Amino acid sequence: MSAENLLTLKNLTAGVGEAGIEILHNIDLRIGKGETHVIMGPNGAGKSTLGYTIMGNPLYEISSGNIIFDGEDITALTADKRAKKGIFLTFQSPVEVPGLTIRQFLRNALQEIKGERIKFSEFNRKLRSVMDTLSFAEEYADRDINVGFSGGERKKAEILQLLMLEPKLAILDETDSGLDVDAVKTVSAGISEYKKNKDGSLLIITHNAAILEALHVDKVHVVVKGKIVAEGDGSLVEEINRNGFERYTNEQ
Amino acid sequence: MNNNKNSIKDIDRTLYDFKDDESRGDFFREKEGITEEIVRHISEEKEEPQWMLDFRLKCLKIYKETPMPVWGPDISELDMDQIASYVRHKSEMKNNWEDVPEDIKNTFERLGIPQAERLSLAGVGAQYDSEIVYHNLKEEVKKQGVIYTDVETAMKTGYEDIVKDYFMTLVLPTDHKFAALHGAVWSGGSFVYVPKGVKVDIPLQSYFRLNAAGAGQFEHTLIIVEEGADVHFIEGCSAPKYNVANLHAGCVELFVKKNARLRYSTIENWSKNMFNLNTKRVVVDEGGKMEWVSGSFGSHVSYLYPMTILKGEGAQMTYTGITFSGEGQNLDTGAKVVHLAPRTTSVITSKSISKSGGIGTFRSSVVIAKQAKESKCSVSCDSLMLDSISRADTVPAMDIRAHDADVGHEAKIGRISDEAVFYLMSRGMTEEDAKALIVSGFADSVSKELPLEYAVEMNNLIKLEMSGHKT
């Protein structure tokens, strides 16, 4: 645990603001630069809420606690400002945006995040090379984001965005769910590509070990009913795969 | 056009809102209200033939006898006694841009009209208040026999018979109160005649600008596309904002002959005190093709439903329209089509966006007559509401008399998706930009149909409209 701090959640309690329902209770979490963390837990444990809360989805409200990112308190910042600071979230079910192509969208996003104009030629070159890595046919760049995409294509498009935007922290929310073996391979290849940058941190929300096989996992957090109930190193993944969450749910 | 200085309450319209001072004495203005004296005076000013004066007076009579429409948006704020029917800048029509008076020239230069002409247009007409102030047609197009002028000039330069044969034969003064009003006080507009077989490669454009406060604009557009001919006509409209109501009651009559094609594109951006009660109609002969492209952004209240009569076998029509209603706007737009002959086809595609309490209503009417065998019609309408105080309505009507007609109707109404906004924000876009991108995307299938400069203008208008909005 010598890595410099990137993300710290301090005693974070959050829920659906309008309904006044608390989903996450007193979460403490620390992710260092370049580290890979895994969140595991049964369905409905609040894993996705955790991802959304870190990203700043206005649907969720933080009632107490803080989010510190790269030395700065970002608890009150909107999602776009968090994205500019280097946080990225892949969506479980990425939404369709008719009339906006991946190419237009990504160039816009990249310019926003880098805060400068990016030349078409330079952008197109990078896009082509990343799409190649993901065996994503280039024609998809000129299709409207996610419109008519299969589940696998949507996930690929999310990983494409991850590699184009090069965030400091990538939160992958069930990126591997519902994918066939080939698609999982492609997504894994994308994640390895992201990890080539030694400072890139990962928070992987999953209940599937396949995607973790090729990765060195620094820490595993088990979330049950909105609380972190257990933590450990990478070996915890295997243990849970063998025995499930029963031990943790019973304790609750 | 990259001005983006916005305020919170209302969008920045400085691009359109500048106005020329009417009090300096360069203007002639009729008294407010609609009287026989005024109608006679307009006709006299224009040195019209007797038949036109008689027609105007007949229309005035119908106007007085016809009640206000009661089925659409409320227009009770429109006080006809306060509307000046005729305002003319004291200058003659010019065909050399340099000769146009300075104040008018500045107006159109700020709107980018002469620049557009130099770049990509075959001919340009510019109307300022009630009269056309500038008209020009490229030499090569003139040589093809194309006539592009205003209706007044057409009557004086040997085309009186054509005008007499067509003028208000498609839109009759008995149609509704504002058609009658138009017939009585019409002024300016466009007269286009494309001879048999002539294909005009680049578009003709007219631009209407209403500068005067409390005035009406009643331009008449008459386009005849002869057999096998092909032309694209573009109209743009704008006006500065005043505190008193302005009225636009234009009339567009289009005649598409056998196997001819006409594309008619409009970007309407009247100021938000305008009552836009406009009537547009086309009759299409055998094998002819009519294409409407329509973008409505401005005005306080609009009633606008371009109507197509598919008269000849195999005649075709497409209508692609978008309407953006913001704060204080009630825009009632749509399309009408009447299939009168076998194997005629029509496709109506409409998009509507409403925000900040704006009301957008899509109204369509499809009639397929008994003899219109094997005809096809498809209507689709997609509405996007940007907040919970705005409103979108769809009012489709269908009257199908042919047994083998193939008719489809599809309507979708929805709120802008919070999830989509968050998705784009999580990629670094501000809430405002995210919404603007979603709205531009929604409008994309319409902007694709517009000429490039207009597509750019439309996107700028969307950005302007969106940036004035803060949640």
Side-chain angles (χ1 to χ4, degrees):
Chain A
M1 290 293 174
S2 55
E4 199 186 326
N5 268 357
L6 181 64
L7 177 80
T8 311
L9 305 183
K10 277 189 193 161
N11 202 22
L12 192 73
T13 298
V16 181
E18 276 174 40
I21 301 166
E22 279 188 3
I23 300 172
L24 301 174
H25 314 278
N26 309 99
I27 301 278
D28 282 301
L29 188 77
R30 200 201 66 90
I31 300 176
K33 284 188 181 160
E35 288 180 355
T36 298
H37 288 228
V38 175
I39 301 274
M40 299 184 91
N43 285 333
K47 303 189 299 292
S48 291
T49 301
L50 182 62
Y52 277 143
T53 305
I54 298 170
M55 190 71 243
N57 189 334
L59 201 62
Y60 301 96
E61 211 167 85
I62 296 169
S63 46
S64 65
N66 299 80
I67 305 174
I68 313 293
F69 186 75
D70 226 359
E72 199 181 329
D73 190 326
I74 60 160
T75 317
L77 294 187
T78 49
D80 53 320
K81 298 214 174 79
R82 296 186 193 193
K84 283 181 185 126
K85 298 212 175 289
I87 303 181
F88 180 90
L89 168 72
T90 65
F91 283 54
Q92 245 192 82
S93 336
V95 286
E96 299 185 352
V97 188
L100 184 61
T101 66
I102 288 186
R103 199 187 295 278
Q104 293 168 318
F105 166 61
L106 267 177
R107 187 157 174 270
N108 259 310
L110 202 57
Q111 292 188 148
E112 283 297 336
I113 284 172
K114 306 275 177 205
E116 60 183 27
R117 218 190 97 84
I118 292 153
K119 278 190 198 154
F120 271 112
S121 53
E122 193 186 309
F123 170 79
N124 286 333
R125 206 176 312 122
K126 186 172 176 184
L127 182 65
R128 204 170 304 131
S129 111
V130 173
M131 290 187 87
D132 215 40
T133 312
L134 297 172
S135 9
F136 210 176
E138 208 199 333
E139 64 190 62
Y140 278 84
D142 298 305
R143 284 179 57 175
D144 296 349
I145 313 167
N146 299 325
V147 176
F149 283 22
S150 70
E153 287 163 350
R154 284 177 194 224
K155 296 294 166 71
K156 263 194 199 178
E158 292 291 290
I159 300 298
L160 169 66
Q161 294 172 41
L162 163 70
L163 295 181
M164 289 298 290
L165 302 179
E166 300 173 312
K168 291 177 186 160
L169 170 68
I171 306 163
L172 309 184
D173 187 7
E174 307 273 2
T175 300
D176 47 349
S177 69
L179 295 187
D180 61 30
V181 182
D182 286 342
V184 170
K185 266 187 199 154
T186 311
V187 167
S188 298
I191 296 169
S192 308
E193 184 67 28
Y194 169 72
K195 286 297 288 183
K196 278 185 186 164
N197 170 10
K198 296 278 177 264
D199 277 344
S201 305
L202 274 172
L203 179 61
I204 302 176
I205 299 168
T206 186
H207 44 219
N208 179 347
I211 200 170
L212 304 175
E213 270 166 21
L215 284 172
H216 168 76
V217 174
D218 293 289
K219 199 161 183 186
V220 178
H221 313 263
V222 181
V223 176
V224 175
K225 291 183 184 161
K227 288 181 184 162
I228 294 182
V229 295
E231 290 180 319
D233 60 17
S235 64
L236 195 51
V237 175
E238 242 170 84
E239 198 270 323
I240 286 173
N241 278 330
R242 251 194 329 269
N243 305 321
F245 295 109
E246 212 169 303
R247 183 156 74 89
Y248 305 103
T249 48
N250 287 345
E251 277 172 15
Q252 286 299 299
Chain B
M1 279 199 289
N2 53 354
N3 70 327
N4 198 19
K5 303 156 263 168
N6 54 68
S7 65
I8 302 302
K9 192 74 189 112
D10 198 3
I11 65 152
D12 174 52
R13 294 181 52 95
T14 48
L15 178 63
Y16 304 99
D17 262 352
F18 61 90
K19 43 205 162 202
D20 297 329
D21 184 5
E22 205 195 314
S23 64
R24 282 192 330 235
D26 298 340
F27 291 83
F28 166 78
R29 180 188 182 89
E30 282 289 0
K31 286 198 289 277
E32 285 76 15
I34 314 291
T35 63
E36 182 174 334
E37 190 197 344
I38 285 169
V39 171
R40 282 185 183 278
H41 191 227
I42 292 172
S43 185
E44 198 179 305
E45 279 271 316
K46 293 178 181 293
E47 299 164 351
E48 283 175 354
Q50 184 64 35
W51 67 266
M52 186 55 92
L53 172 63
D54 294 344
F55 180 77
R56 285 183 185 273
L57 293 171
K58 186 180 108 185
C59 290
L60 180 66
K61 189 164 174 284
I62 299 168
Y63 166 73
K64 288 188 168 157
E65 290 162 356
T66 313
M68 285 284 213
V70 291
W71 47 270
D74 181 22
I75 51 170
S76 56
E77 293 163 63
L78 177 64
D79 181 355
M80 293 309 299
D81 293 334
Q82 297 300 322
I83 296 282
S85 55
Y86 187 72
V87 181
R88 176 171 61 85
H89 193 277
K90 288 178 179 158
S91 70
E92 296 295 310
M93 184 171 102
K94 301 290 193 287
N95 54 23
N96 184 343
W97 188 249
E98 293 312 312
D99 298 338
V100 172
E102 209 58 33
D103 50 348
I104 299 182
K105 196 157 68 182
N106 288 343
T107 297
F108 285 107
E109 295 208 332
R110 288 174 78 168
L111 293 165
I113 310 306
Q115 294 90 321
E117 178 189 1
R118 281 193 287 273
L119 285 173
S120 58
L121 297 166
V124 163
Q127 176 158 346
Y128 188 85
D129 291 334
S130 300
E131 292 286 351
I132 293 282
V133 291
Y134 171 71
H135 237 301
N136 195 26
L137 186 61
K138 288 207 166 123
E139 226 22 76
E140 58 266 38
V141 183
K142 226 181 265 176
K143 276 188 194 136
Q144 288 181 295
V146 174
I147 301 157
Y148 179 27
T149 181
D150 56 305
V151 181
E152 292 91 330
T153 309
M155 285 196 291
K156 286 178 190 157
T157 50
Y159 308 108
E160 188 183 334
D161 288 348
I162 301 182
V163 174
K164 203 173 175 181
D165 283 350
Y166 289 94
F167 187 84
M168 289 199 84
T169 57
L170 195 49
V171 175
L172 303 175
T174 45
D175 267 20
H176 56 81
K177 192 172 184 71
F178 293 94
L181 174 65
H182 175 90
V185 299
W186 74 270
S187 180
S190 304
F191 174 87
V192 177
Y193 182 84
V194 187
K196 191 170 166 178
V198 169
K199 296 195 190 309
V200 184
D201 295 330
I202 41 178
L204 298 174
Q205 180 181 3
S206 66
Y207 201 95
F208 302 106
R209 171 79 180 171
L210 184 51
N211 182 67
Q217 192 163 52
F218 306 97
E219 86 290 351
H220 196 93
T221 301
L222 185 59
I223 301 179
I224 299 151
V225 191
E226 290 287 6
E227 193 175 326
D230 190 310
V231 72
H232 181 187
F233 189 85
I234 304 171
E235 64 172 6
C237 326
S238 74
K241 185 169 174 144
Y242 291 103
N243 292 326
V244 292
N246 274 11
L247 169 65
H248 175 233
C251 179
V252 173
E253 294 183 289
L254 312 170
F255 298 85
V256 177
K257 301 299 176 73
K258 189 173 169 183
N259 298 326
R261 186 189 78 121
L262 169 60
R263 188 175 178 87
Y264 195 94
S265 305
T266 306
I267 281 281
E268 176 271 300
N269 186 31
W270 295 119
S271 59
K272 288 172 185 173
N273 57 324
M274 180 71 94
F275 286 83
N276 182 34
L277 311 172
N278 208 10
T279 312
K280 297 181 175 184
R281 203 163 293 171
V282 64
V283 59
V284 189
D285 290 345
E286 187 184 332
K289 200 170 179 194
M290 176 67 206
E291 299 165 6
W292 298 99
V293 181
S294 176
S296 298
F297 288 85
S299 86
H300 172 49
V301 169
S302 272
Y303 282 63
L304 180 63
Y305 327 94
M307 176 179 182
T308 306
I309 299 163
L310 298 171
K311 191 176 143 210
E313 184 165 346
Q316 297 173 38
M317 180 280 269
T318 59
Y319 168 89
T320 311
I322 186 155
T323 299
F324 195 123
S325 354
E327 189 178 346
Q329 291 184 283
N330 187 343
L331 307 186
D332 206 280
T333 60
K336 289 163 92 172
V337 62
V338 181
H339 292 250
L340 291 179
R343 285 166 289 281
T344 46
T345 57
S346 61
V347 179
I348 296 170
T349 313
S350 151
K351 301 253 179 184
S352 141
I353 301 157
S354 49
K355 73 171 250 295
S356 308
I359 304 171
T361 302
F362 170 74
R363 220 178 273 272
S364 66
S365 158
V366 175
V367 176
I368 299 193
K370 212 169 168 181
Q371 69 273 24
K373 295 190 189 319
E374 294 172 50
S375 287
K376 282 184 194 166
C377 169
S378 104
V379 179
S380 89
C381 140
D382 217 345
S383 305
L384 185 65
M385 287 174 286
L386 300 187
D387 49 48
S388 54
I389 54 169
S390 302
R391 186 167 157 174
D393 289 316
T394 304
V395 189
M398 289 193 170
D399 177 359
I400 316 298
R401 306 289 171 103
H403 295 297
D404 54 3
D406 180 355
V407 180
H409 180 265
E410 197 187 317
K412 260 197 300 197
I413 294 186
R415 279 270 311 275
I416 191 163
S417 145
D418 290 339
E419 208 192 341
V421 174
F422 172 61
Y423 187 60
L424 297 192
M425 285 179 76
S426 77
R427 303 306 188 242
M429 284 145 214
T430 62
E431 183 177 349
E432 212 169 74
D433 288 348
K435 286 184 173 169
L437 276 172
I438 292 167
V439 171
S440 303
F442 176 80
D444 186 56
S445 59
V446 179
S447 30
K448 269 184 196 149
E449 294 296 316
L450 290 167
L452 182 65
E453 316 83 86
Y454 277 76
V456 170
E457 184 179 351
M458 187 173 107
N459 274 322
N460 284 336
L461 281 171
I462 288 176
K463 274 188 205 143
L464 266 176
E465 293 285 349
M466 297 301 297
S467 63
H469 176 68
K470 202 94 196 149
T471 52

